[in-house]
Structures are given as structure tokens and as C-alpha cells.
Amino acid sequence: MRRLFLNGLCLLVLLVGAPAWALDPARKVDEYTIARWTMEDGLPHNLVHTISQDADGYVWAGTWEGAARFDGRRFTAYDAGTVPGLEIEGVRAITPHPQGGMVLSLGRVGPGVVRFHQGRWQRLPGQAGTLPDVSVLRFAPDGALWIGTDHSLFRMDPSGRLQDIGSTHERLANERVLAILPLPDGRALVGNRHGLFRIDNGRATDWGRRVGLPDTSVLAIQASRWGGILVGGGAGVWRVERDRPQQVTGERAEAMLEDRNGNLWISTLDGLRRYAQGRYETLGEPNGLMGRLAPSLFEDRDGLLWVGTTNGLYRISDGPVFGLGRSSGLRDIYVRTIIERPGQGVWVGHPMGVDMWQGGQSRPVPLAFDGKTDPSVLSMANARDGGLWIGTYDQGVIHLPAAGTQARPWRIDEAGGLPSNHVRALLERSDGSLWIGSNEGVTVYRDGRIARHYGVEDGLPAGNVYVLYETAQGVLWIGTGNGMAMMRRDGTLQTWKPMSDFPAVAAFDFLADPDGSLWIASDRGLLHWSEGRFVQFDHRQGLPNNRLFRLLEDDNGDFWVSSNRGVFRISRPALTAVENHYLARLPVEAFTHADGLPSSQANGASAPAGWLMRDGKLWFATANGIGVIDPDDARRQRNQGVTLVVEAIDADGRVLPLQTRYTLAADTRRVVIRFTGLNQRASERLRYRYRMVGFDRGWIETDNSIAHDAVYTNLPSGKLRFEVQAMNAPADWSKQEDVVARTVELDKASPWWMRAWAMVAYVLLLGLVGWGVLLLAMRRHRLRQRRLQALVDVRTSELSDKNRLLEQAGEANAQLLEQLAYQARHDPLTRLANRRAGDAFLAEALEVSRREGRPLSVALLDIDHFKAVNDRYGHAFGDEVLSQVAALAEQLAGGRDDVLIARWGGEEFLVCQQLPWSTARARLEALREGIAQASIDAPDGDTLQCTVSIGMAELEAGQDLRDLLRVADERLYRAKQQGRNRLVST
């Protein structure tokens, strides 16, 4: 018997080996990440009976309605509707075949056992291929297949001979086999509802009774890495070593698995329990593990745990990211601020107050005093006296005294002179002063009183202050929702305004380098400020999101920044390469809800919204709890191996058998190459690129979307080579040591008209046709030459006559164009320049003024009471008045190249002067007086005296023509209001 267990232990070593990954036993089970897939994701049915994995790394699930192969993102379903000739349903057993492929049991309709290998389905030989109601399949080390059914136990040797072993024992005959463990020496342990049996040389003995196990159902059997055999079932879990049973737990085990770290996992009615060192933890519905657990519990080659239930397929992983939420004891999961306190754990601020996380437990910290309830917390900062500063939504700043002291908490609020109780940023500086950022600016608290306040009047940007950051040189950086500011040690303040000298609007976090340069998390990406200039990194350089909140640097020098689309890792060398134009895009590694974050939406605009812990882990505030990231685990995950598989080659809708080289017919129009990468731990992080050498101009990159198909139409004939590569994100294809590659060789036949003999025939035929065409062309050329000479003589005479007529017409056209040009730029009534000419003159004058610094003024002149003239004498006389006033204006103020008088519209005129202000104003005043002194004879014999009102404006720095004319128009309006017949120039 001792030999039996030694052999079992050897089998265990062969089966589990020493893989690079396993679930971290140091983590609590609620720190693991649970992913779920259902029929909506491609499972044939939500009831999962069995789980296994093939040599490539695909995970197989057997369900009530068929089987499915899973590559981490996509299910390939095999059921009665997808596999012709096989009724695949009710799959209760799946196991890998020693020589490749998978062996599956079928249901009651078309029963039996089949093998899937290299894309083909085949029944097992002999009676095994049609056995009904198969419940368990296990291959032994010697290649024999043990088959358990609802009625008996069978063994099929490698030659295909089937032996009925169940009939050798009355308690095995006509009984459903529930579990099988093949042993290296050819024996096996078998469980059913009566207990545990040992099979030796084709005969069964009631071994469970002999060693003292209870007479109850045995649902699972496994060799233990600690020695002996684990037996699970209706009487709980027992460890049998040297024929001595010892009970591990009395709780019924629906399924059982000992992982490669020696932790025991048991499926119970209450959930999935992990037993370790005499204690257990449970994963159940509060953690997202839903439904009744089926007898399907599997550890894959990456150490991940797969669980089948009545509600779907679940994967339990321990990637570099996990979340802490209500199940971890947090009172509120909308986390705003996080800080680590020396010797006092991690403190978490949220709308219900503050929780302290220490020793894996969370407990609330009471903040209610002086008659007020627990506040909504926005910010925190460690105090030099060992206490904690807490910024609140509407209760100002609270000071919690150091632990172990008799001091009581106290607050700084509006009653004590704080401009606002809404505090989003706190910083205790090296001189002991407390700097408080609120929606009213920055307040300095020193020696028990408000010492100073900085607001808009001091040059600080308006709006909420989000972050206060002090560099090693004593420079204070202030991030707000409306720009940012820097306060030097001498107290001088420098401000950057949004979207002008600052390429963003809001600044949420800062991180300084030793050389004095600064990194800024903003709403327009990651900014690098150095030597007075900004370099911007946003979606154009590969960032998944531009709005960044918390910026942290891990122990390896990488940046980690939170956003509304997860947390991004960015390497410093990559940033430097992009900044210096050595690299076009940043290889950004994004961690989202799919990786284990409680929410992809991180929270910001509160400080600090994340923290680098002393153990190197990064904690980030999110809208659904705390996201914890282990950078070292993330680095190991990036280096995890990837299996790249070419799944199928499809030519014009026909799937070709898998082979080393594929031959395509000459008329093949459409070729689809389906490939996938296998990394069950982080399948969503895979990146691909592919090309058809000689056909594609370059590599075509793609992420891990649902379909991995390279589609080609009208490929050329000849030898072709398809290349595909895969690697874990971030994809840096220059690191070929991390790249997995596969190639597909294709031979496409040439059509008959492109073969060698056809080419020779084409050449000969083309030569003959060319010779005939040449002879014909030479004859036609001689005839054409004779006709052409005669035609040239006639045309020469005709052209001479037409040239003379064209010269005469050209002179007439020139006169007409000159007249039209004048009419296009002058008013037909007043003979002054029209508005179009005025606009052109103004534009040119503005350009000259800006380039050469010449003065420029405009004036708008309007005839006073002109409507009354029209009403009394009619529009004809009104036109006469306009003409005479225009003539006077041209006579009194015009006549210079640097002055233009134009009719602007109706009775309004524009006077543009490129003269000094005083000269221009004097000329306008003379114009006004000259018009007022002039007399115009009216039709009724009276003499009409006209006056004008003038608004004048001079071009100032930064003005455009619209603003200049607006000022002149406003002053014309004021001239009218002040009584008319006047010039307003200020």
C-alpha cells in the first residue's frame, strides 16, 4: 500500500510539475478577480459539467447543450448544429488525448466517445465509440483510457480493446461512476455513490471500506502534493495516507481540487471554499460567483482556477490588479482619497467619512464631533505631529491627533476665517505651515491662525484648487480647474492660463524630477514642463484617454496614471523617445475593469487620489472601491509566454485541412486565415500584427478583438508566405525575444493564360501583329503628310486675316475692362470708392500698419437729418445732396494716396487715413466745418445747409478691422446723441 501512494505522488509530480504561475496563496480569496461567461458570450449552455485544457492552451467546457473551446476571448461552439454527423450534447466528460487533441463524451442522442484532433472529429474505435451515458474520462500514464458511465466502469487499452470492469463487483455494476484516478502502475481508484473502490488487474475491491472511509458517495479523487490521496464527497474531504484516513472537513464536497500551492478548494452548497493551514475562506454570490456549483473544478497550466456552475463558466485569477470594496469592509465604495500613515495602515476617504485599512481589515474612523456628523471627505495629508489633516466637502479642515495621545480633534472652517469649507487639497510644508486648497483659492494656516490667503486678486487662477505639491527645492505648484500656478520660495507667483500658455484647462496632479522639470496630469493628457516649455502627450501619441488624475512613479521608475478609462503604465524611456522624436507612439499598458480594477472609472480632483505604498503596491481611488496594482506582478505578466495558433485556412468558404503547406486553385478569390493567441491569464492584453509577404506593404497591427481573421482577395499566383506575430501589451515589436511568430506557406496555381507556353505564344503573336501595324502606319503617314501640306497653305492665309480682326477686338476689350474695373470699385452716384474698394483699402492699410507701424484711423460720416431732405424734396434731390456732399468730402479731405473716402451705405461715408492722429482729426474737423458752411440750392428756391456727424477711431494694438469699425460706429452714434454736426473721437 505504501508503494501505491508513492506511485500516486509521482503521478502528481508528472501532472502538475512546477509552473511559473499559480494563484497567490498569500492573498485573501476576495482579492482574487472573478470573470464570468454565459450563453450570451458564446457558451452552448449555462450549465457547465466539466472543464479541461488542451496542449495548445485552449480551455474546453462541456455543457448541457454541447462543448465549447475558449481562447480567452472567443468561444468556438461544438454542438448538434455545428458538427455535421455528430449529435454533440450533454457533454459531461472532456480530457486531453496523450497524442494530441481532446476526447469528449456525447449525450444520449447519438451516444459515444469522440476525439477532436487537428480540426477533425472521429469516434473512438470499437464499442467505446458508441458507449452511452459517459460521465468520466481519464487517461492513465500507460495510455489506457478509463471510462465511467451511468451504468458501469470500462478500461480501453491503447490497442482499442474495451474491458467491462464494473461487472466484477456488485457495488460497481449498474452504478454511475462519479470519479476516477488512474495510478502509474496500471491500477485505478474509482468513486460512486457507495464509496471508493480500487481496480487491480481488472478486478475491483471495496478499498474505501477496508481503510475506514464512510459508505457514502465519492465525487472527487486526487493525489495530494503533501502525500497520500484526497477523497471528497458526501462525507466531506478525507486524506488517506498509508491506509489511514484523516478527515479534512465534514462538509459535503460537490467537487474538490488541490492547487499547485497545496491549497484545497472545495465546491459546497454555500460556494467555493479554500482550505489552507486549518482555516477556510469562501467565494460565493457576494463575490460574483453565482449559481449552484457543478462538479467542474479545474486548474489550468497558468495556475488559474476555472469553475462551472448552473450560471456559466467562471475564471478565478490573481493578476496584478484586484479591488477592495464593500466585501472588504469599506462603508462607501465611491473612494476619493487614499493615504498611507506610518504604522497606522491605509486611510481611505469617501462620502461617508474615513475608513482605516490595516491587517487586511477595514474599520471606520469616527469624525463626528462638536455637534456635526461624519463629513464627506475630499482630501487628506499627514501632519508632522503624527496626526492627520482631513479636507471635507462642507466642514472645512479637521485635524485628527496622533494615535495614543489625549488630544481631541479640532477644525479650521469658515467660522475661524477660512474662506470656504470646501477643501480638495492639503499640504503641510517643510516650515510647518498648512496650505489649504479650496474653491476660493489657497489659504495658509500657521501658528494657530489664518496667516494669508491667495485668490484671484493675487493672480491665482479662479476655480477649485485640486492639488498642492512642493518640490525638493521648496517650490510650490498649484493645480486648479482653470490653469496652474507656481509659487517660488520668495513668494512670487507665476500663473499659466488655460489653452494659451498652458496646453490644458485643469491640472490634477504633479510629479517633479530632480532636475526641476515637472510632470503634470491634466485634462489634456500628460504634460512635461521643462525649461519654460510644455511637451504634451495625449491620444495622438497613444494615450487611451486624455483626462488624467493621479500620477505615481513606482520603484522601477515607471509612471502610473489614473483616468476614466482605467490606470495606465507608461515607461520613462518611452516618454523620452517620443519627446525626442525617436518613437511615434507610446507603448501604453492599460489596466481596466477587465483586469481586476473594481471600476475603470478612477476618481480625481481630490488629493491624493492614489498612493504608492511602502510595499511597492499602488492604490487608486475609483468609483467602485479601491484598485490595487502590484507593479512587479504586472511586469511578470508582461513576460508570460504566449501560444500562437493558426486555427483555420478558409479558401472561398471551404476550410482546408491543417497542413504545413497549402495549395490554392488558380481561381481562388478569397482566402481567410484565422489565428489566435492563447494567454488565459490576460488574453485581453494580447496584440497582433500580420502580413502577406510580397503582397502587404507592411505589417497590419490589431488588438485582441473578437475576430482574428486576415482576409485576402485576389492574391497573385506563386509561392506566398503569411506571417503573424503576437505579444503581450504594450506591444514593442522591436523586442523580438518577447514575440511569438507563426508562418503559413501558400502555393497558388497560375491560370492557363499565365503559364510559360502561353507567354511564348503571346510574344510571337504580338510580334506579328506589331510588324503588320508598323507597315500600315508608315503608308498612312505618307498620305497624311501630303494632305497636311495643302491644308497648311490655306490655313495660313485665313489666320492672317483673323489675327488682324483679333487685334482690333482686343483693343476694344481692354477699354471695356478698364471701364468695368472702375465701375466695380466706385459708387455710380457719388463717384467715390464703393464699400468693396473701402474694404480692400482697409485690409491693405491694416497690413501696412502692422508691418511698418504706420498710423491708421477710420471715421464714419453720416449726413444729419437726411431722411427729412428725402421726405421734403424727394429722392432725386436727395441723390443730388449726396453727390455734392461727396464732392465736398473728396475736395476737403481726399486727394492723397494715404487717404480714402468711400460711400459706406445710404448717407454714410467712410474716411480711412494713414496719417498721425492729430493730423487726421484736424482734416476731419475741417471737412465737417466745410460741409456745414456750404449751401445747396433746393428745388423750391430755398438754400439748404447740410451738416454731418462723424465718429472717429484709431487702430490699437491687438485690434482687428471689425473692432476698429465698431468703435467708430459707436462714436458716430454718440455724435448723433450729442446734437449732431460734431466729431467724436474719444
Side-chain angles (χ1 to χ4, degrees):
M1 187 55 60
R2 183 175 182 181
R3 178 175 168 232
L4 170 66
F5 290 108
L6 288 175
N7 290 336
L9 184 58
C10 293
L11 174 63
L12 175 68
V13 173
L14 290 173
L15 291 175
V16 301
W21 283 86
L23 290 182
D24 185 357
R27 288 192 187 179
K28 298 175 63 178
V29 294
D30 56 7
E31 293 178 2
Y32 293 147
T33 300
I34 298 179
R36 177 193 180 197
W37 295 271
T38 66
M39 293 177 64
E40 285 71 24
D41 304 301
L43 269 179
H45 195 273
N46 283 344
L47 174 56
V48 178
H49 293 296
T50 182
I51 307 169
S52 189
Q53 189 173 33
D54 64 20
D56 287 326
Y58 290 100
V59 169
W60 289 72
T63 77
W64 186 254
E65 291 291 345
R69 188 180 68 175
F70 186 50
D71 66 2
R73 294 294 296 276
R74 178 183 59 182
F75 287 96
T76 301
Y78 302 106
D79 53 28
T82 60
V83 182
L86 290 178
E87 296 289 339
I88 302 180
E89 50 85 30
V91 177
R92 292 190 288 162
I94 303 178
T95 190
H97 194 286
Q99 297 176 2
M102 301 296 285
V103 176
L104 292 76
S105 68
L106 303 182
R108 288 184 174 274
V109 180
V113 181
V114 296
R115 181 187 179 190
F116 177 82
H117 185 49
Q118 294 184 345
R120 297 181 178 180
W121 292 90
Q122 185 177 11
R123 287 186 181 272
L124 293 192
Q127 186 183 354
T130 57
L131 277 176
D133 302 324
V134 174
S135 56
V136 184
L137 292 169
R138 292 287 185 272
F139 275 97
D142 61 3
L145 176 61
W146 292 85
I147 306 173
T149 74
D150 289 350
H151 314 288
S152 189
L153 172 70
F154 299 87
R155 179 182 182 273
M156 187 180 77
D157 62 25
S159 67
R161 185 175 64 90
L162 191 68
Q163 180 184 7
D164 185 353
I165 297 176
S167 60
T168 65
H169 197 290
E170 61 180 5
R171 284 155 60 92
L172 279 176
N174 296 316
E175 292 288 346
R176 178 184 175 187
V177 175
L178 301 173
I180 302 174
L181 176 63
L183 299 174
D185 58 2
R187 294 185 289 184
L189 296 178
V190 179
N192 68 9
R193 69 186 181 95
H194 296 298
L196 184 64
F197 301 85
R198 187 178 70 184
I199 313 301
D200 189 357
N201 292 322
R203 300 192 61 83
T205 59
D206 198 336
W207 189 69
R209 278 185 173 180
R210 190 170 70 80
V211 299
L213 288 175
D215 282 345
T216 185
S217 60
V218 171
L219 302 173
I221 316 168
Q222 183 180 354
S224 172
R225 66 182 295 118
W226 307 117
I229 298 293
L230 290 170
V231 181
V237 177
W238 295 73
R239 183 187 305 278
V240 182
E241 189 171 9
R242 297 179 180 177
D243 293 351
R244 294 181 180 177
Q246 180 182 2
Q247 191 172 40
V248 178
T249 175
E251 191 170 17
R252 177 182 174 88
E254 299 292 332
M256 175 194 71
L257 182 145
E258 185 183 73
D259 66 24
R260 58 198 55 169
N261 284 316
N263 298 307
L264 184 61
W265 297 84
I266 302 174
S267 294
T268 71
L269 296 177
D270 296 328
L272 182 63
R273 301 202 197 282
R274 183 184 71 177
Y275 285 82
Q277 299 177 352
R279 301 170 59 186
Y280 73 84
E281 299 173 88
T282 303
L283 285 173
E285 290 192 4
N287 310 98
L289 189 61
M290 312 295 290
R292 285 287 302 272
L293 272 64
S296 48
L297 194 57
F298 178 75
E299 184 183 26
D300 70 10
R301 67 187 187 184
D302 295 320
L304 304 177
L305 204 62
W306 297 81
V307 185
T309 79
T310 56
N311 285 36
L313 177 68
Y314 292 82
R315 183 192 66 198
I316 302 173
S317 61
D318 62 342
V321 183
F322 63 91
L324 302 175
R326 283 200 173 92
S327 62
S328 304
L330 289 180
R331 288 179 295 162
D332 196 306
I333 56 175
Y334 195 82
V335 179
R336 286 175 170 148
T337 179
I338 301 170
I339 193 169
E340 186 176 25
R341 302 188 65 195
Q344 300 183 55
V346 182
W347 292 51
V348 182
H350 48 66
M352 294 184 66
V354 171
D355 290 340
M356 182 180 72
W357 178 273
Q358 192 171 29
Q361 299 293 327
S362 176
R363 67 174 181 84
V365 178
L367 297 179
F369 67 98
D370 63 14
K372 295 184 178 180
T373 59
D374 277 355
S376 177
V377 173
L378 298 179
S379 56
M380 293 187 289
N382 284 317
R384 295 167 64 88
D385 62 2
L388 182 68
W389 298 104
I390 300 174
T392 71
Y393 182 83
D394 57 4
Q395 293 188 22
V397 179
I398 296 174
H399 178 269
L400 283 185
T405 66
Q406 299 299 317
R408 296 178 57 82
W410 50 277
R411 78 175 73 245
I412 309 167
D413 57 11
E414 294 175 359
L418 190 66
S420 172
N421 282 341
H422 188 80
V423 178
R424 290 184 175 269
L426 292 167
L427 174 67
E428 185 171 318
R429 302 189 69 181
S430 55
D431 62 0
S433 60
L434 177 66
W435 292 65
I436 305 169
S438 69
N439 55 354
E440 295 293 335
V442 177
T443 304
V444 184
Y445 183 84
R446 183 185 291 112
D447 299 330
R449 63 183 183 86
I450 302 294
R452 179 77 162 85
H453 178 73
Y454 298 90
V456 177
E457 63 278 3
D458 301 294
L460 198 67
N464 277 306
V465 174
Y466 293 145
V467 60
L468 298 168
Y469 180 86
E470 184 177 23
T471 69
Q473 295 79 21
V475 176
L476 178 67
W477 291 91
I478 304 168
T480 78
N482 195 34
M484 62 178 246
M486 173 184 68
M487 183 175 291
R488 301 180 181 86
R489 298 188 65 175
D490 60 3
T492 57
L493 194 68
Q494 181 178 352
T495 302
W496 286 267
K497 298 179 180 178
M499 305 309 293
S500 55
D501 47 3
F502 179 54
V505 176
F508 295 107
D509 203 6
F510 300 113
L511 187 63
D513 280 340
D515 62 1
S517 63
L518 189 73
W519 296 90
I520 306 157
S522 77
D523 62 342
R524 296 297 188 274
L526 181 64
L527 310 179
H528 187 204
W529 180 83
S530 179
E531 298 179 353
R533 71 181 187 92
F534 290 94
V535 177
Q536 185 177 14
F537 304 90
D538 58 13
H539 64 279
R540 293 168 293 184
Q541 286 77 38
L543 280 181
N545 192 31
N546 286 345
R547 194 173 185 86
L548 308 179
F549 299 129
R550 183 61 164 144
L551 177 60
L552 296 174
E553 183 178 11
D554 67 17
D555 295 336
N556 299 292
D558 289 340
F559 283 161
W560 296 78
V561 57
S562 63
S563 76
N564 281 328
R565 293 186 181 175
V567 177
F568 311 141
R569 185 195 70 86
I570 313 170
S571 73
R572 274 188 179 263
L575 287 164
T576 302
V578 172
E579 186 169 348
N580 293 324
H581 307 291
Y582 298 132
L583 193 65
R585 292 179 66 83
L586 290 168
V588 178
E589 188 173 14
F591 294 87
T592 66
H593 180 65
D595 298 291
L597 281 178
S599 172
S600 294
Q601 176 189 329
N603 283 334
S606 300
W611 198 264
L612 171 62
M613 303 299 166
R614 286 179 295 171
D615 62 3
K617 290 185 174 65
L618 306 165
W619 290 40
F620 288 98
T622 81
N624 197 38
I626 302 169
V628 182
I629 301 177
D630 188 331
D632 292 333
D633 275 357
R635 188 174 301 102
R636 286 192 291 270
Q637 177 175 279
R638 291 195 297 275
N639 297 328
Q640 185 182 8
V642 178
T643 301
L644 183 57
V645 179
V646 176
E647 293 186 318
I649 310 293
D650 182 302
D652 289 338
R654 182 173 61 91
V655 178
L656 304 180
L658 295 176
Q659 50 196 297
T660 56
R661 180 179 289 273
Y662 296 85
T663 301
L664 303 177
D667 60 349
T668 301
R669 293 185 173 275
R670 188 173 189 268
V671 176
V672 180
I673 303 175
R674 182 169 295 112
F675 55 87
T676 189
L678 295 170
N679 176 0
Q680 296 289 356
R681 180 172 288 273
S683 58
E684 67 282 346
R685 313 193 70 76
L686 290 176
R687 300 294 181 266
Y688 303 89
R689 67 174 184 173
Y690 63 87
R691 67 180 177 182
M692 187 71 74
V693 178
F695 185 79
D696 291 321
R697 292 184 177 180
W699 289 98
I700 301 170
E701 295 194 27
T702 178
D703 60 8
N704 195 24
S705 56
I706 295 301
H708 311 136
D709 294 345
V711 181
Y712 292 96
T713 57
N714 299 319
L715 285 171
S717 303
K719 295 184 182 300
L720 301 167
R721 186 173 75 255
F722 175 78
E723 297 178 347
V724 58
Q725 296 180 351
M727 70 180 304
N728 291 313
D732 184 355
W733 301 106
S734 63
K735 297 181 178 179
Q736 284 297 302
E737 64 275 11
D738 298 331
V739 174
V740 180
R742 291 289 181 271
T743 61
V744 176
E745 302 291 340
L746 302 169
D747 285 334
K748 185 178 180 184
S750 301
W752 66 265
W753 60 84
M754 293 185 64
R755 295 174 186 174
W757 63 266
M759 295 294 106
V760 174
Y762 295 155
V763 172
L764 293 175
L765 181 60
L766 185 62
L768 291 174
V769 171
W771 177 254
V773 170
L774 178 61
L775 293 176
L776 180 62
M778 292 174 64
R779 183 174 180 275
R780 296 182 64 183
H781 177 69
R782 288 192 295 270
L783 291 174
R784 191 180 298 112
Q785 286 293 103
R786 288 195 293 268
R787 293 173 183 170
L788 182 61
Q789 185 60 47
L791 184 61
V792 167
D793 295 340
V794 175
R795 295 300 185 199
T796 301
S797 176
E798 294 176 352
L799 286 174
S800 298
D801 296 338
K802 289 183 178 180
N803 284 338
R804 186 169 55 256
L805 295 174
L806 286 174
E807 289 175 359
Q808 295 173 359
E811 293 175 0
N813 287 339
Q815 294 175 1
L816 178 61
L817 289 174
E818 183 177 354
Q819 181 180 358
L820 291 175
Y822 178 86
Q823 293 174 354
R825 298 181 61 84
H826 288 77
D827 178 64
L829 177 64
T830 63
R831 304 292 182 183
L832 294 177
N834 60 16
R835 184 159 188 160
R836 177 187 298 172
D839 284 335
F841 185 90
L842 277 175
E844 182 179 355
L846 176 65
E847 180 65 26
V848 171
S849 177
R850 288 175 173 172
R851 185 175 65 248
E852 301 177 4
R854 293 180 59 182
L856 174 63
S857 64
V858 298
L860 291 177
L861 178 151
D862 187 270
I863 301 175
D864 297 328
H865 302 296
F866 184 75
K867 183 177 183 302
V869 173
N870 276 335
D871 292 342
R872 181 176 178 183
Y873 298 107
H875 289 281
F877 180 72
D879 290 346
E880 178 63 24
V881 171
L882 285 173
S883 298
Q884 293 196 32
V885 170
L888 283 171
E890 182 67 22
Q891 175 186 345
L892 295 172
R896 294 173 60 110
D897 292 338
D898 50 4
V899 175
L900 175 74
I901 301 177
R903 185 179 181 190
W904 204 241
E907 66 269 25
E908 193 173 76
F909 299 84
L910 169 75
V911 182
C912 178
Q913 304 181 80
Q914 293 177 289
L915 299 172
W917 172 260
S918 57
T919 302
R921 191 182 187 288
R923 287 170 59 82
L924 288 173
E925 192 63 42
L927 171 62
R928 182 191 63 78
E929 292 175 357
I931 293 173
Q933 294 171 5
S935 299
I936 300 175
D937 295 330
D940 59 2
D942 290 342
T943 300
L944 179 66
Q945 301 292 131
C946 283
T947 62
V948 295
S949 300
I950 305 174
M952 179 182 180
E954 184 178 25
L955 180 68
E956 297 179 356
Q959 262 188 332
D960 57 16
L961 290 180
R962 186 187 299 273
D963 291 338
L964 183 62
L965 290 170
R966 178 182 54 76
V967 173
D969 189 64
E970 290 173 354
R971 291 174 179 175
L972 171 61
Y973 182 76
R974 283 164 45 200
K976 293 284 188 180
Q977 285 185 322
Q978 294 174 10
R980 296 180 172 81
N981 190 22
R982 64 190 66 244
L983 167 65
V984 175
S985 58
T986 59

